[in-house]
Amino acid sequence: MTPGIAHADGPGPQISCPTDPTIVWQLAFYGRTPYLAGYRYTAISTASTFNVSDARVVDNALDTPINATFSSSQSRTWRISVTVGATAELTKYLQTNVSTQIVQERTTAIGVNASLVVPPHSRVTGQYGVQAYDVVYDVQTVFSWPAVVGRPREKCFDRGTQRGTTNAPTVTEGWRFTAG
């Protein structure tokens, strides 16, 4: 399926109503008229990343090693965000299809310490943050009438597929150290 154009001028072309469990249905309203909006998410690409909330650098200009202690002092919050569909449903999809470690929202801690030895004439950079994924996904939207939950859908309309991106934080939080 390739991304298409959402139909702003009407409900879109009529299609056979999807019955597969990958589509998530939610009650919505067009004015006072209830309908069901269905969303089907598909991950296009995922890339592992590290969301940095705080960083420290230690330069050792001495001829001997030194001990350095790094401490996080800034907190930051990362959230999964969507422009089409629902954040909770995209989170569930990503937990099932990308990583069970993904969470909808993650805030880093303050006061987490780590110590290490910095070799002579070298620099160590410490970054505190959260392991995450940068995700590109498609979401197909389907409208269905009548909007009766539990009743077979009679008419469905394809509203098109849109592409979205989000940063998906995980429960893994900590320090990352690099030379230089």
Side-chain angles (χ1 to χ4, degrees):
M1 176 182 336
T2 57
I5 300 170
H7 302 276
D9 57 346
Q14 189 167 347
I15 60 171
S16 298
C17 290
T19 58
D20 62 272
T22 62
I23 198 158
V24 178
W25 295 97
Q26 296 179 337
L27 183 62
F29 290 89
Y30 182 75
R32 298 177 114 185
T33 306
Y35 66 92
L36 292 176
Y39 303 103
R40 179 183 290 130
Y41 297 97
T42 305
I44 303 302
S45 68
T46 59
S48 182
T49 188
F50 189 75
N51 296 343
V52 178
S53 64
D54 203 358
R56 301 281 182 265
V57 174
V58 173
D59 284 314
N60 182 1
L62 302 174
D63 293 331
T64 58
I66 61 171
N67 292 319
T69 299
F70 293 76
S71 182
S72 64
S73 63
Q74 295 183 32
S75 180
R76 184 159 174 203
T77 301
W78 285 273
R79 293 175 185 87
I80 290 178
S81 63
V82 298
T83 55
V84 176
T87 303
E89 299 307 328
L90 177 59
T91 301
K92 288 178 192 174
Y93 172 83
L94 295 176
Q95 288 169 336
T96 302
N97 295 283
V98 177
S99 171
T100 58
Q101 300 295 304
I102 289 175
V103 291
Q104 189 169 324
E105 179 178 293
R106 179 71 180 194
T107 301
T108 55
I110 295 176
V112 179
N113 296 322
S115 297
L116 69 136
V117 175
V118 179
H121 305 286
S122 66
R123 168 183 271 195
V124 172
T125 301
Q127 297 175 322
Y128 191 78
V130 173
Q131 187 64 42
Y133 293 91
D134 287 328
V135 181
V136 177
Y137 64 93
D138 283 349
V139 59
Q140 177 192 18
T141 304
V142 176
F143 285 177
S144 174
W145 285 275
V148 180
V149 177
R151 183 172 155 192
R153 291 162 188 47
E154 296 174 13
K155 292 183 180 179
C156 288
F157 301 88
D158 186 355
R159 295 285 293 166
T161 300
Q162 292 180 310
R163 182 147 295 165
T165 60
T166 193
N167 179 271
T170 70
V171 296
T172 305
E173 176 179 339
W175 282 98
R176 178 175 72 170
F177 294 100
T178 57

